Amino acid sequence: MVNKFIEMTYQETLDYLFEKLPMFQRTGPAAYKNTLQNTLELDERYGHPHHKFKTIHVAGTNGKGSVSHMLTSILQEAGYKTGLYTSPHLKDFRERIRINGQMISEETVVNWVDQFVKNNSPRKISPSFFELTVAMAFDYFAQQNVDIAIIEVGLGGRLDSTNIITPEVSVITNIGFDHTNLLGNTLEEIAREKAGIIKKGIPVVIGQKQKETQKVYEDKASVGSSPLFFADEELHINYSMIGIDGKQIMNVNSGNRILFPDLKLDLLGTYQRKNVPAVLKVIELLQSKQWVIKEKHIYEGLANCSLNTGLLGRWQILRNNPLVVCDTGHNEDGIRAIVEQIKNTAYKKLHMVFGTVGDKDPEAILKLLPQDAIYYFTKSSIPRAMDEKILAEKAKKAGLKGKTYPTVKSAFDAALANADSNDLVFIGGSTFIVAEIL
């Protein structure tokens, strides 16, 4: 049994991770665990690696990936060796674990998994995909002596495998309805799970103040004497525009005072205006803790975020004539932001290549989608994907019209064939739809 894994190739290693271990992204709630026991045992086995570097912990329904990458980029520009742990990946498993924008090597992944398999006895641990990946990331960051690592929560917060760290700052971007079967059916219940990352005495930044969740955070912060900050109360961005270099330009204000004039951001999408204040507040708190981060590092970090960190799938323009854009937003708030962005985009006709997962009822998001678009309903090649014909039937009830396609590629090809040069082709509905296009 052991010998089988001694000479694993990278693909064999991925097969082990994806197919032998329970994986939420592929199989859904069946892979979710309501205990940190495995994570704590793995942490002990590897000598508590998360104690060997500083961290920032980022949770939220939407925006946590963008916030994590922006923080990483700024810290890299400031000269810190910066780890980044995010999920899910879009093209390559190694996107989840990066240092200064560089993905963990295939060789390192193979050797680490090989050693785990060989040494996983007699005190055997049966981890999920996510639990083992978190252990790999923390061990790798410790071995590479990173100064700080930005750690994105996978799901929820309280019971997430990342929630063994004590960060410099905790961040919760916003709360919306997603994974309600696991996190709760009200915003208050979901916020309570996210608030689980708030640690005693550690400052916490809330990206957006929401009346339904405010008291949850205030109560949790009060219990642990954790300084609490609502970023959108301190900083706001009224508008943004696209410059001739293709980057967003915005002014960040505090009251009537412009704190950051002509701030450039290479992440497109007007919804980033909600994320930037949280990022800047975190940086301010780090500066108060004697982290050396200058204004030029902030400007350069935000202007070169995608370049520095490799972020994909956030209102990402794939081609022009016709304009082809993909975005990983997949819940109500995410789709609402995408629809708003579409309204602010010039086009003649709108073509939507759209798919979703089967363990969520898409009714709420379908109601948000534009009815004047031509739809190409499809499904990704994972077990969780909703059958495209079922999706089309549900969409029809919401007034959406289109045809069905068995693969993402066939749907995309059809959209390109039908689109004129002045049209917009949008690809999304699920992270996995975007992943297959990329």
Side-chain angles (χ1 to χ4, degrees):
M1 186 73 174
V2 168
N3 292 336
K4 178 181 177 182
F5 296 98
I6 291 179
E7 299 295 338
M8 281 195 292
T9 64
Y10 180 60
Q11 185 56 53
E12 289 169 340
T13 302
L14 295 184
D15 291 343
Y16 170 79
L17 291 171
F18 295 162
E19 298 176 13
K20 300 295 184 183
L21 305 179
M23 183 181 182
F24 182 87
Q25 276 76 24
R26 293 184 64 82
T27 60
Y32 180 72
K33 297 184 180 180
N34 61 353
T35 173
L36 292 176
Q37 184 60 38
N38 278 348
T39 298
L40 293 170
E41 289 188 20
L42 286 165
D43 184 59
E44 181 179 356
R45 177 175 293 187
Y46 289 96
H48 308 291
H50 70 281
H51 289 160
K52 299 173 184 176
F53 53 90
K54 303 292 187 181
T55 57
I56 297 172
H57 208 184
V58 185
T61 304
N62 293 296
K64 61 182 184 290
S66 294
V67 166
S68 296
H69 282 77
M70 283 188 267
L71 287 170
T72 299
S73 184
I74 292 170
L75 285 162
Q76 285 177 214
E77 291 286 353
Y80 292 106
K81 190 173 185 180
T82 308
L84 174 62
Y85 177 76
T86 59
S87 62
H89 63 273
L90 290 176
K91 296 175 65 177
D92 189 328
F93 166 81
R94 299 177 301 135
E95 294 169 28
R96 295 169 178 257
I97 306 172
R98 300 175 187 261
I99 296 177
N100 284 359
Q102 298 300 309
M103 295 187 293
I104 186 173
S105 70
E106 293 184 2
E107 181 182 14
T108 301
V109 173
V110 171
N111 290 340
W112 196 94
V113 173
D114 180 64
Q115 290 300 311
F116 168 76
V117 173
K118 289 192 292 185
N119 296 328
N120 194 29
S121 62
R123 189 164 61 88
K124 187 172 183 179
I125 303 173
S126 299
S128 68
F129 169 89
F130 192 78
E131 288 168 337
L132 195 64
T133 304
V134 169
M136 184 192 305
F138 287 1
D139 188 43
Y140 179 64
F141 292 154
Q143 289 181 19
Q144 296 298 313
N145 297 310
V146 300
D147 297 312
I148 190 168
I150 314 302
I151 308 297
E152 180 191 356
V153 167
L155 175 62
R158 181 176 64 92
L159 295 172
D160 191 76
S161 296
T162 63
N163 200 29
I164 60 174
I165 61 177
T166 301
E168 297 285 279
V169 184
S170 302
V171 192
I172 303 175
T173 55
N174 78 328
I175 298 299
F177 290 104
D178 199 11
H179 304 298
T180 54
N181 55 334
L182 298 173
L183 303 180
N185 293 308
T186 68
L187 292 180
E188 292 89 339
E189 289 174 336
I190 297 171
R192 204 164 287 117
E193 291 298 314
K194 309 284 187 186
I197 73 166
I198 299 175
K199 302 297 193 302
K200 184 177 181 179
I202 303 299
V204 55
V205 174
I206 308 300
Q208 297 174 49
K209 189 173 186 177
Q210 299 165 271
K211 63 180 181 180
E212 299 92 342
T213 62
Q214 178 182 348
K215 191 172 187 304
V216 173
Y217 297 137
E218 291 174 342
D219 289 347
K220 177 68 174 178
S222 176
V223 169
S225 300
S226 306
L228 176 66
F229 305 91
F230 293 96
D232 61 347
E233 280 194 330
E234 299 187 28
L235 303 168
H236 60 276
I237 300 167
N238 294 328
Y239 74 95
S240 62
M241 58 184 290
I242 304 298
I244 59 174
D245 58 0
K247 297 178 180 180
Q248 271 197 96
I249 306 173
M250 58 189 71
N251 289 342
V252 181
N253 304 290
S254 177
N256 294 322
R257 185 163 59 100
I258 299 177
L259 289 185
F260 293 93
D262 297 326
L263 193 70
K264 287 189 176 183
L265 180 63
D266 69 351
L267 303 184
L268 303 181
T270 56
Y271 53 79
Q272 296 296 356
R273 300 198 301 243
K274 297 180 179 180
N275 295 325
V276 170
V279 170
L280 296 176
K281 185 61 186 180
V282 172
I283 294 300
E284 178 189 319
L285 291 171
L286 290 177
Q287 290 169 328
S288 72
K289 291 178 171 236
Q290 308 308 311
W291 289 82
V292 181
I293 307 168
K294 299 180 179 179
E295 187 174 276
K296 68 176 183 178
H297 301 141
I298 296 171
Y299 273 85
E300 291 170 3
L302 294 179
N304 300 297
C305 181
S306 295
L307 179 66
N308 286 344
T309 69
L311 178 62
L312 300 171
R314 272 60 169 191
W315 197 256
Q316 182 175 348
I317 296 175
L318 302 180
R319 59 190 289 182
N320 289 287
N321 303 316
L323 178 63
V324 178
V325 176
C326 66
D327 196 292
T328 55
H330 56 274
N331 50 45
E332 286 183 58
D333 285 348
I335 294 296
R336 192 175 287 110
I338 288 169
V339 171
E340 187 63 30
Q341 182 70 34
I342 288 173
K343 289 178 181 177
N344 291 326
T345 303
Y347 61 84
K348 185 177 178 181
K349 285 186 179 180
L350 174 61
H351 304 260
M352 300 277 285
V353 177
F354 201 82
T356 186
V357 292
D359 49 62
K360 296 181 186 178
D361 186 350
E363 181 179 348
I365 62 174
L366 291 173
K367 289 180 179 178
L368 298 172
L369 296 174
Q371 294 192 354
D372 59 350
I374 303 169
Y375 285 86
Y376 305 77
F377 298 108
T378 187
K379 65 178 179 182
S380 58
S381 56
I382 63 166
R384 284 181 69 200
M386 176 173 287
D387 182 272
E388 71 277 11
K389 290 183 171 57
I390 295 175
L391 177 60
E393 283 299 315
K394 291 178 178 290
K396 186 176 181 181
K397 295 177 182 178
L400 308 181
K401 299 177 181 178
K403 296 181 179 180
T404 61
Y405 300 84
T407 66
V408 177
K409 184 180 185 304
S410 62
F412 181 49
D413 288 346
L416 285 182
N418 292 335
D420 291 333
S421 60
N422 293 322
D423 289 355
L424 168 62
V425 177
F426 176 82
I427 305 148
S430 163
T431 299
F432 308 103
I433 298 292
V434 173
E436 291 194 27
I437 286 296
L438 293 177

